Every structure is written in C-alpha cells, then in structure tokens.
Amino acid sequence: MQLELEGKAFLITGGSAGLGRALARTLVGEGASVALLARGAERLAATAEELREAGGDVLELSGDVTRLEDLERFVELARERFARIDGVVNNAGTLAAGSFAEHDDSVWEADLSLKLMGAVRLTRVALPALRESKGVVLNTLSITGKAPEAYTTPTSVSRAAGLALTKALSRELAPEGIRVNAVLIGVIESAQLEHRASLAGVQPAEYYKRMVSDARIPLGRVGHPHEYGDLAAFLLSPRASYLTGAAINLDGGLCPLA
Ligand SMILES: NC(=O)c1ccc[n+]([C@@H]2O[C@H](COP(=O)([O-])OP(=O)(O)OC[C@H]3O[C@@H](n4cnc5c(N)ncnc54)[C@H](OP(=O)(O)O)[C@@H]3O)[C@@H](O)[C@H]2O)c1
C-alpha cells in the first residue's frame, strides 16, 4: 500500500526520541517533510542529522510545548519552510507515577500543561494551516486514559482529557475535512523506560521482561517504536481518509477496554 505522503509536511512534538523519532523516520522514508520540537537541543540536532542523512527535509526547533511562544514559532517556521502543514502530532510527554497524596497542585498543573494543554495550544496555533490543507491531528496518549490504573492519577486524568479533546475536536472539525485521531500506548521501548532501567540498575532488556511479566501483556512483549511509526503514519495519510474520532490502542492487548 502506498501511503501517499510524498510532498506533505508534518509537525511532531517530542520528535527527538522514542516514538516521535520513529514516526519521523517513517514519514521521511515515505517522502514527507518533518518539523521536530523538543527541549534538549543536542539530542534534537542528532535526530535531525540522522533524518537528513536518510534524505529527509527536516526542520528542528528547540522548544517546550508548555510555552505558547515556542509553539507559535514552531508553526511559523514550518509554514515558512514548507509552505504547508498537513498534520500535527501531539506526542511530547513523560512517564509519570506516584501516589495521589504526594501530588500537590504544581504536579497536577505541570502534567496537564504538558500533556493536555500542549496539544490544545499547538492544534489551535496550527489550525489556520490545517484548514488550508484539510490536515490531520494525531494525539499520542496512553491506555490509562481509557483504563486508569492506581498511582497514575494526574497522567490518567490528562490522558482521559486528551481522549475527550480528540473526540470533541474530531466532530467539530470534520465538516472542514480535518481528521483528529489518537493512539493509546501501552508499553513501548523508549528513552524514558531505558532511563528507568538504568536507575534500577538493570539492562533495558531485563527491565522490559519484568514489565511484560508484571503487567501480563497478552502478546508477551513490549512494543517497538517503529510499530507506533507505522500506525501513526497510516493515520496521518490519505489512506485513513474515513477515520476520525478514533482512539486506537497500541498495547499488545494490554488494555482491558477496546
Ligand atoms: N513509551 C511508552 O511506553 C509510553 C506509554 C504511554 C504513553 N507514552 C507517551 O508517548 C509519548 C512519547 O513518549 P516516548 O515513549 O517516545 O518518550 P521519550 O522516548 O522519552 O521521548 C519523549 C520526547 O518528548 C520530548 N519532550 C518531553 N517533554 C517535552 C516538552 N515539555 N516540550 C517539548 N518536548 C518534550 C522529549 O525531548 P526533551 O526531553 O529533550 O524535551 C522527547 O523528544 C509521550 O507523550 C508519552 O507519555 C509512552
């Protein structure tokens, strides 16, 4: 199947590592241009260079999704460079866990600002360009948005709000030909999980093995970032033209809810 992404341009927040980087690789491989936003300039530059070596037309901006001015600049630069924006991928985020009693207002506000308001801000700023292209919005969420777990209160609430945002916006923008979908992640290999493995003093492979057995992932393994890249690229592509308002679990069967 041809994804028909050649010549299109996509913005990805959190594009320097993990899922965002895997998606950028897939899009570049399909002939699309990508603009990446992340805070850490060094890792971002390395990812952008790797994508250019693969033949990609890449724009990178060091910025933070919690800062509106960074997102305005991101959209402005992308429009100048590519003269179009065909989709935005609201993907930046971090793992978060802990007990409810330990989370003061600042923890809640930070989680909502990063995971919910980051997506709200970028989508709003990019909307004029998406209207011109009849573009696509894709939100990377977590299965905790559908099936909240203990010790995940702020992140589960942020992700549930992300689901509501996806559905409400999909219905509001459908008459304009703009599609809005979400991918809900279970456990996929990532920089954050590898950092946790090193804090626990174990190799990533051993850490993932423990996660599979503790969480009882039905497919018996964690996911690979390229599996997200494949699904996300499809959702961004014209081949998914009748798909909007969907929230698809990418979790090896982990989430108890469809
Ligand atoms: N991997 C999983 O198992 C899993 C599970 C559930 C949900 N998710 C969600 O999937 C998304 C991608 O995660 P990942 O696994 O790919 O994590 P990752 O490998 O740690 O990558 C996270 C990316 O987000 C960027 N980022 C973090 N905070 C940011 C901010 N405030 N502004 C701009 N960029 C920011 C990071 O770069 P900088 O740090 O340099 O800014 C990095 O590029 C996240 O929203 C995560 O919560 C992942």
Side-chain angles (χ1 to χ4, degrees), residues 14 16 18-19 39-40 43 64-65 91 93 114 159 186 188 190-192:
S16 67
L19 308 185
R39 294 162 306 171
R43 186 166 62 170
D64 190 324
V65 297
N91 168 74
L114 170 64
R159 294 326 195 171
I188 295 188
S190 76
Q192 293 174 60

Side-chain angles (χ1 to χ4, degrees), residues 141-163:
L141 306 175
S142 158
I143 56 171
T144 58
K146 273 187 194 171
E149 286 287 352
Y151 300 103
T152 67
T153 44
T155 197
S156 289
V157 170
S158 297
R159 294 326 195 171
L163 275 177

Side-chain angles (χ1 to χ4, degrees), residues 2-19:
Q2 298 292 319
L3 289 182
E4 301 169 20
L5 290 168
E6 194 125 20
K8 294 188 181 290
F10 297 96
L11 273 56
I12 307 173
T13 66
S16 67
L19 308 185

Side-chain angles (χ1 to χ4, degrees), residues 78 80 118 122 167 196 234:
E80 274 170 26
L122 178 59
K167 182 53 90 178
R196 286 206 174 179
F234 169 71

